[in-house]
Amino acid sequence: MSELLSRRSLLTAGGAAAALMSLSGCGAVQALRPAAGGKNTLVVHSQFNGAVAGADVFRAVVEQYRTSTGRQVATLSNGSDLPIVFETSVLAGKEADITIVNMVGKTLAWTAEDATIPVENLLAEWGLADRIEPGAIQEWTTGDGHLRAFPYTRTNWPVAFNTRLLEQAGVEVPLTSQDLIEAADALRGKGIGPVTIGGGDWSGQKLFIQIIQSFLTADEAERVFATGVFSESPGALAGIQHFADLRDAGVFVDSAQGFTSDSMLTQYNTGQAAIMSSMSSALAKVPAERAAETTIGGWPVPPGAVSTKPTVIQSFNGMGVWISENGAGKLDLVEPFVRWLFSDEVVSQFITRSGRDMSAVTDVTSTDFPLVAQAQALAAGDTVDPVILPDLLIPEAVFEPLTQATAQAFGPGTGPDQIVDVLEASYKNA
C-alpha cells in the first residue's frame, strides 16, 4: 500500500480511533512495531488464541520452527477482534508480516485495498499448488482472479445427535422435519432440551440460513444472500415459514435467542440438550464421554424441500495465511515459515492433536477426535446434501445487523412476515 489515504480507507473513522486508543492501552501496536521485531524477525498475528481449537498446536509448531531453524518469530494473537486490530496496525504502518485469520467480513476487502498481497504467483513458486485442495483455491480467489491468501483450515458444519438422550426419549435420529418435531416433543417430555443453538450470535445466523436453504437452489441462495431480497424469492419465503413452524413447535431450546455458541456447546457437552448444529472445530471440543454417545448427521429434510437429503454446510472458508505489505518486504522470512505450516508434519499435528479440518491435501484423520472424522466421512459420502456458507456473499456491513435480525427470528412471536422485514432491513440499513 503506497498511500496513507488508502490505509485509512480500510477503517471507519470512529472504529479506527477507538481501536487505536484501545490498542495503545493494551500494547498491541507496540508489539507489532518493527523495532520490537527487527528486520530479521518474522511477526505473525493469528486467530489461534485462547480456547480456539488448534491454539496449543500453533504455539507448539512455532516453537518447533524456532528450535529447528534458529529463526526468530514473534507472535501476537487475537480472537474475533483480530481484523480491527490488524487494520489499525496497518493504519500505523506497523502490521504483522503474516496474519492467520478467517476470510469473512472485513478481511474480504484486504486484497483489493492492498492491506495484503495476492499470492497466486507464489503458489507454484513455493511448491504449494499441489498441497492445497483445488476447491479451497477456488473459494479463496477473488472475482478478478487474485488468490487472497493461502487457505489453511476449513470446516464441515453437520448436526450432532446424542443417541443416548434420544433413546431415553424413545426416538431415533430424526431424518425429516416431522421426525424432528416429534423428537423435540419427546425430549421435552423427559426434561431434555431438543436443539441447542446460539440464537443470539453467528451460530444461530448460520443455522437459520441452513434451514431456509432447504428450499433454495444454489443459484437462488447466492442471489438471496448477496442482495438481501428475501420477499421476492418463493424459496426463501417457504424456508422462513418453515423455520417459524419449527420454532413454534418447540424444536429449539427455550430462550435460544439469548444464547451464544459457547452456551450451545456447554448445553450439549453437559447433556442438557440432545442436538446441536456444530462446525467441526467445535466438534473437536466435545468430551470423549459425550462423543461416545454422539452420531453425526445432517439437518432433517422438510416436506416440499429442494433438498432431498439432510443438509450439511460445507466450506473451505476457515483461516488463511495472509501476507501483509510489511511481509512482502520480508519474503525471505515469510516463505520458509509458510512452507513449514503446510508441511506434512505440521498439518498432521493440527489434525491429530486438535481435530482441525485442513485445506491442505492430506489422508491423515484423527482417532482422538472421532466426531470430526465422522463429519469428514459424512461430507465425502452421499447421504447428505451440501449447502453453502454464504459468508462471501453477505456484504461486510450486513453481518452484524443480519445476526441481530436472525436473533429476533429465534424469539417467540415473531411471525414470518416480520422476519422477512427485519432481514431485509438489515441489508437496507447497513
Side-chain angles (χ1 to χ4, degrees), residues 18-384:
L20 196 56
M21 290 177 64
S22 173
L23 291 170
S24 298
C26 72
V29 169
Q30 176 66 33
L32 290 174
R33 286 177 179 167
K39 65 179 182 180
N40 295 321
T41 297
L42 179 69
V43 183
V44 182
H45 193 180
S46 89
Q47 227 167 12
F48 284 118
N49 184 43
V52 169
D56 54 344
V57 174
F58 179 72
R59 287 190 292 271
V61 299
V62 169
E63 186 55 35
Q64 292 163 17
Y65 181 80
R66 292 190 184 110
T67 301
S68 63
T69 66
R71 296 176 184 268
Q72 300 175 55
V73 181
T75 59
L76 175 69
S77 297
N78 291 108
S80 59
D81 59 345
L82 186 148
I84 187 63
V85 174
F86 178 77
E87 291 187 3
T88 305
S89 64
V90 169
L91 180 63
K94 309 296 184 185
E95 74 271 20
D97 305 312
I98 291 173
T99 185
I100 303 175
V101 62
N102 287 341
M103 179 176 59
V104 63
K106 287 179 173 293
T107 67
L108 294 174
W110 285 358
T111 305
E113 294 288 351
D114 296 335
T116 56
I117 65 170
V119 299
E120 63 272 13
N121 292 335
L122 301 177
L123 263 183
E125 183 180 337
W126 291 4
L128 299 177
D130 296 329
R131 284 290 298 145
I132 302 174
E133 292 281 356
I137 298 295
Q138 179 180 1
E139 193 164 318
W140 281 71
T141 298
T142 64
D144 57 356
H146 291 306
L147 181 59
R148 292 182 168 93
F150 300 110
Y152 201 56
T153 65
R154 60 181 292 189
T155 187
N156 289 312
W157 213 305
V159 181
F161 299 94
N162 185 312
T163 54
R164 177 182 62 82
L165 295 179
L166 291 173
E167 184 177 350
Q168 188 176 329
V171 294
E172 298 181 346
V173 172
L175 298 177
T176 68
S177 292
Q178 187 58 39
D179 292 344
L180 179 60
I181 291 171
E182 292 173 2
D185 185 58
L187 288 163
R188 285 180 177 275
K190 293 292 183 179
I192 302 167
V195 179
T196 180
I197 186 67
D201 71 5
W202 53 268
S203 61
Q205 182 209 74
K206 298 299 183 292
L207 179 58
F208 176 88
I209 287 172
Q210 179 178 0
I211 290 172
I212 68 173
Q213 280 192 78
S214 295
F215 295 87
L216 295 170
T217 64
D219 289 344
E220 190 176 8
E222 290 187 12
R223 185 166 59 253
V224 166
F225 297 124
T227 64
V229 181
F230 294 82
S231 57
E232 296 180 7
S233 164
L237 294 176
I240 291 167
Q241 177 67 57
H242 179 65
F243 172 87
D245 290 343
L246 292 177
R247 180 202 61 196
D248 294 344
V251 161
F252 307 113
V253 294
D254 295 340
S255 304
Q257 71 275 16
F259 291 139
T260 67
S261 57
D262 288 340
S263 46
M264 174 188 73
L265 190 60
T266 298
Q267 285 190 327
Y268 189 83
N269 286 349
T270 57
Q272 298 176 61
I275 304 169
M276 71 169 177
S277 169
S278 175
M279 59 196 305
S280 52
S281 58
L283 292 176
K285 296 181 179 178
V286 176
E289 178 186 13
R290 200 65 62 226
E293 56 192 30
T294 294
T295 190
I296 297 299
W299 185 261
V301 183
V306 171
S307 304
T308 58
K309 303 171 185 173
T311 60
V312 171
I313 296 175
Q314 294 178 6
S315 175
F316 289 103
N317 188 7
M319 293 188 205
V321 182
W322 309 65
I323 301 175
S324 72
E325 186 181 65
N326 282 341
K330 298 160 72 173
L331 291 182
D332 58 326
L333 301 182
V334 172
E335 177 186 353
F337 184 77
V338 172
R339 287 166 60 92
W340 165 249
L341 287 179
F342 279 93
S343 67
D344 288 337
E345 177 182 355
V346 171
V347 169
S348 295
Q349 288 189 61
F350 274 104
I351 294 171
T352 59
R353 294 177 52 194
S354 71
R356 273 285 184 179
D357 269 325
M358 307 298 289
S359 287
V361 176
T362 178
D363 293 327
V364 176
T365 57
S366 175
T367 56
D368 290 338
F369 299 91
L371 300 187
V372 178
Q374 278 192 51
Q376 292 168 343
L378 187 74
D382 60 359
T383 59
V384 294

